[in-house]
Every structure is written in C-alpha cells, then in structure tokens.
C-alpha cells in the first residue's frame, strides 16, 4: 500500500523558513517522480517543485525553495526560505511511478500526472 505522509508545516512570518518532509512507503522510491504541489484558497493546485534525479521549480519559488530527497530513507524534502505571504497554502507531496528519466518527470506538471498523494500540510506566512 502506497503511503505519503507530510510533516513540517506551520506558521511563520515573512522572510522565515520552513522545511517540509514527506515519508514515502509501499513502492520502489528510486523509480518514482516526486513533487510538491500547493493549493491556496480559491486557486488551482500547482506544482511547486519536482524531482527525479535533479530538481525543477515553479518560477515563483526559484532561488528560495530547494527540493531534495534521501533515497535511503525514502523521504522527500522541501526547504523553503525567504517565505512570502503568497506562499500560504496547503502543501501536498505527490508521487508517480514507475518513471525512469528526468525528461518525463520534469514534464509532469499537473495534478493529473500524479497518482499518489499525501494528506497535505498547511503553510501560513504572515506579513
């Protein structure tokens, strides 16, 4: 059974940092395309960052967010620095597999490209 469990959300002031984690189980992690999505109130869910062997980012978070993974622990991370109020959203971990290339994973930008989802973790940034 595939499980994705996020943690690390919270409330911070603008300019602060948070680190999200996603513990994955139930599949072969190293052949998965992983991503972080977010959904703000009244807005569509958007991919913030994705990774297979290298990371890719939404323009709005480039230079501030870093996606990484520890394949030995089957865990995905999102380090978020210089947070802004517009980063406020529910953040979701997502997985799709099997995937065997960054070419495929980088182009998986829509929620319909991912089959498995975590329950989400709330990030709130105050000004």
């Amino acid at each position: 059974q595939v499980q994705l469990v996020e943690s690390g959300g919270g409330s911070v002031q603008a300019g602060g940092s948070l680190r999200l984690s996603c513990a994955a189980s139930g599949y072969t992690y190293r052949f998965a395309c992983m991503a972080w999505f977010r959904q703000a109130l009244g807005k569509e869910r958007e991919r913030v960052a994705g990774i297979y062997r290298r990371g890719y980012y939404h323009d709005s978070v480039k230079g501030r967010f870093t996606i990484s993974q520890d394949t030995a622990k089957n865990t995905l991370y999102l380090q978020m620095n210089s947070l802004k109020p517009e980063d406020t959203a529910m953040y979701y971990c997502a997985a799709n597999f099997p995937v065997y290339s960054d070419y495929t994973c980088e182009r998986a930008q829509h929620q319909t490209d991912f089959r498995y989802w975590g329950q989400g973790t709330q990030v709130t940034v105050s000004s």
Side-chain angles (χ1 to χ4, degrees):
Q1 182 180 358
V2 176
Q3 283 194 317
L4 301 172
V5 181
E6 301 102 331
S7 60
S11 297
V12 296
Q13 290 191 327
S17 298
L18 284 173
R19 188 194 197 201
L20 306 183
S21 299
C22 172
S25 61
Y27 64 99
T28 304
Y29 185 90
R30 68 182 182 276
F31 294 128
C33 175
M34 302 296 296
W36 288 99
F37 280 73
R38 68 185 178 189
Q39 188 166 19
L41 285 174
K43 295 188 177 181
E44 292 187 354
R45 193 171 296 190
E46 64 179 5
R47 192 188 74 174
V48 174
I51 188 168
Y52 178 65
R53 295 292 180 263
R54 58 180 175 82
Y56 351 99
Y57 300 92
H58 191 278
D59 285 346
S60 65
V61 306
K62 283 181 180 177
R64 300 189 298 122
F65 290 12
T66 302
I67 190 170
S68 63
Q69 56 191 351
D70 184 334
T71 55
K73 296 181 179 179
N74 288 1
T75 302
L76 179 72
Y77 302 100
L78 185 68
Q79 178 66 44
M80 305 185 294
N81 298 328
S82 302
L83 283 160
K84 304 176 180 180
E86 52 263 43
D87 294 318
T88 295
M90 185 71 80
Y91 283 70
Y92 298 91
C93 173
N96 191 41
F97 56 88
V99 170
Y100 301 108
S101 71
D102 278 299
Y103 178 89
T104 299
C105 188
E106 187 171 9
R107 286 153 181 78
Q109 299 184 29
H110 305 289
Q111 57 179 322
T112 54
D113 294 322
F114 290 85
R115 182 175 179 183
Y116 301 98
W117 293 86
Q119 81 287 353
T121 186
Q122 178 68 37
V123 171
T124 303
V125 185
S126 59
S127 57

